[in-house]
Amino acid sequence: MKPQPQAKTGTDTRRRLITFTAALLLAALAAATAAGAVSAQSGDGLSLVNDDRDFVERRNHGGFIARPVFDRQVDAIHYGIRHPETGDWIAPMYRVHSSGKDVGEGREYSWHYPVVPPQPDLDPEQAFLLVIVAVDGGDAHTFNAVIPIYQPTGLWDRVLAALDPGRWARAFAAWVVEAVFGALCGIVERVAGAGACSGR
């Protein structure tokens, strides 16, 4: 006599639901992370004082001005530009020829890009990754910051930019990701217990 297959318990169903929901949640988080901007960091022993502010100003011709502020004077600064999605180097490492200037919160270094003909122009409608290597006492500290998309400052330009369909599409996509994340968190918390998404 063949043994009868056992009926699936509620625990098995709950585990499968949690696994499936967790996979969807991870996919939503990955999408949100990929769409987010890359923020600047601080290196061990050397701090980028204005890492919480936008210190890269984009120009309409595709260039930019960077004004990082470190907590002290450094020996040398080098920078390069990478594509934010592929990681490909758009421009190799260049050295900043500036001794910086004292400001109230530290020492500010500034440079323009491009300044020499070999430096490629950057598409003003695309963001890039700025890689800064500051040498301090023989130690190299790497910082990453976003070179933002150029935003016109004129009133009429701002109105046109606000009506840009691409910007509305990106905002809608971010809203959808947030809505999916919230819905999945609610499901996970009901199934697995309260507080499952509290570390968001």
Side-chain angles (χ1 to χ4, degrees):
M1 186 174 185
K2 290 184 178 180
Q4 294 295 324
Q6 294 181 351
K8 294 180 181 177
T9 65
T11 304
D12 292 337
T13 305
R14 188 176 301 136
R15 283 184 186 156
R16 285 196 179 107
L17 181 60
I18 290 173
T19 303
F20 176 72
T21 305
L24 289 177
L25 186 59
L26 286 174
L29 286 174
T33 303
V38 179
S39 62
Q41 301 99 23
S42 297
D44 295 335
L46 179 68
S47 295
L48 184 58
V49 177
N50 59 344
D51 65 344
D52 59 341
R53 300 187 292 274
D54 296 329
F55 61 84
V56 182
E57 179 186 347
R58 198 67 186 269
R59 297 300 194 186
N60 60 355
H61 55 74
F64 64 87
I65 301 174
R67 297 185 181 92
V69 177
F70 296 100
D71 61 343
R72 60 182 176 271
Q73 184 171 2
V74 297
D75 300 327
I77 293 180
H78 302 268
Y79 72 93
I81 302 168
R82 303 185 80 165
H83 193 281
E85 296 174 4
T86 65
D88 294 338
W89 288 97
I90 305 297
M93 298 298 287
Y94 296 99
R95 179 168 181 160
V96 176
H97 296 284
S98 170
S99 59
K101 67 177 181 179
D102 286 323
V103 292
E105 51 192 354
R107 193 160 187 92
E108 179 184 280
Y109 296 84
S110 64
W111 64 89
H112 293 253
Y113 178 95
V115 292
V116 292
Q119 292 179 320
D121 290 332
L122 303 177
D123 182 355
E125 296 184 0
Q126 182 177 359
F128 295 92
L129 180 64
L130 177 64
V131 181
I132 303 172
V133 179
V135 180
D136 177 49
D139 296 327
H141 305 275
T142 303
F143 303 88
N144 296 309
V146 171
I147 302 172
I149 295 172
Y150 172 68
Q151 299 290 338
T153 56
L155 179 60
W156 183 243
D157 292 325
R158 289 181 183 178
V159 171
L160 292 177
L163 298 175
D164 177 25
R167 176 177 293 184
W168 282 96
R170 288 191 296 273
F172 179 74
W175 178 84
V176 168
V177 169
E178 285 290 328
V180 170
F181 181 86
L184 290 176
C185 273
I187 294 171
V188 170
E189 288 181 350
R190 279 196 298 273
V191 174
C197 295
S198 59
R200 180 183 173 190

